[in-house]
Amino acid sequence: MGRYIVQDQAQLSNGTELSTSDSAIGWGANFSAKINVFVHDDIRFAAHYGLGIGRYLSYNAYAAGSIDPTGTIKLQPSFGGHLGYRHWWSKKLRSNLSFSYSGTKNNLEYITQLDKVNKDVHSSQINLIWAPLPHSLVGIEYANASRKVETQQVGNIDIITLTCRYDF
């Protein structure tokens, strides 16, 4: 992935407006694979790394970078991975178990509110999905996620999702 980032009207955290502009090229790479095991089961995994790709990871958990006092864009590295296992109980019933992690190396010298800046995020999910009729499914999933900010404070969330779907 590649992206072109431009700032042409920066405002520093102390309220100072800069009249300079700057641009930077962000990039990211991902490696993912699926390995079939047993009859229908599979293991899926992915690893990613990039500079300035923060918004593309973990539901926009990270910034692409920051702007130094001279108006120069300072991109930051972000990284992570995912591991999942899909098990078929029968032709109509399956489960998934997955774990994911992502993090970033924030440009701390240009950030003032460290309690609002994510350092890393991880989550785990388990579900049960049933396909009672062709083109339909019913599923329930439990997910647990945690994020740590730069002040080392941790926030957790537990989610239960019920899904009913019919594909036309």
Side-chain angles (χ1 to χ4, degrees):
M1 181 195 97
R3 62 186 299 218
Y4 183 66
I5 302 168
V6 177
Q7 78 77 6
D8 57 1
Q9 209 170 19
Q11 183 174 8
L12 300 178
S13 59
N14 64 8
T16 305
E17 288 193 27
L18 300 174
S19 59
T20 61
S21 64
D22 191 25
S23 63
I25 301 290
W27 62 272
N30 180 70
F31 172 77
S32 59
K34 179 177 93 167
I35 301 170
N36 294 324
V37 294
F38 305 115
V39 177
H40 298 288
D41 294 6
D42 60 68
I43 297 171
R44 299 159 188 242
F45 59 91
H48 45 267
Y49 180 86
L51 195 61
I53 63 166
R55 70 186 248 175
Y56 297 100
L57 301 178
S58 303
Y59 302 106
N60 199 17
Y62 311 108
S66 56
I67 299 172
D68 75 8
T70 67
T72 303
I73 295 173
K74 301 292 186 183
L75 298 180
Q76 62 194 38
S78 298
F79 45 85
H82 174 86
L83 175 65
Y85 181 77
R86 180 171 64 172
H87 175 70
W88 289 88
W89 301 98
S90 70
K91 288 183 178 183
K92 295 185 175 191
L93 190 66
R94 69 181 188 267
S95 290
N96 299 284
L97 174 65
S98 63
F99 305 94
S100 62
Y101 170 83
S102 67
T104 194
K105 185 177 182 315
N106 289 301
N107 300 324
L108 298 178
E109 60 272 24
Y110 309 120
I111 300 171
T112 57
Q113 296 179 315
L114 297 178
D115 61 332
K116 298 185 184 330
V117 179
N118 291 329
K119 181 176 182 169
D120 61 23
V121 176
H122 60 84
S123 66
S124 57
Q125 301 84 25
I126 188 166
N127 62 30
L128 183 63
I129 300 170
W130 176 46
L133 302 168
H135 309 290
S136 69
L137 64 81
V138 176
I140 188 163
E141 178 176 83
Y142 168 74
N144 173 271
S146 177
R147 79 172 185 142
K148 185 188 302 179
V149 295
E150 286 292 349
T151 58
Q152 304 304 312
Q153 294 170 299
V154 176
N156 296 298
I157 189 169
D158 293 295
I159 303 166
I160 295 178
T161 305
L162 176 63
T163 300
C164 298
R165 187 178 90 190
Y166 183 79
D167 297 331
F168 294 92

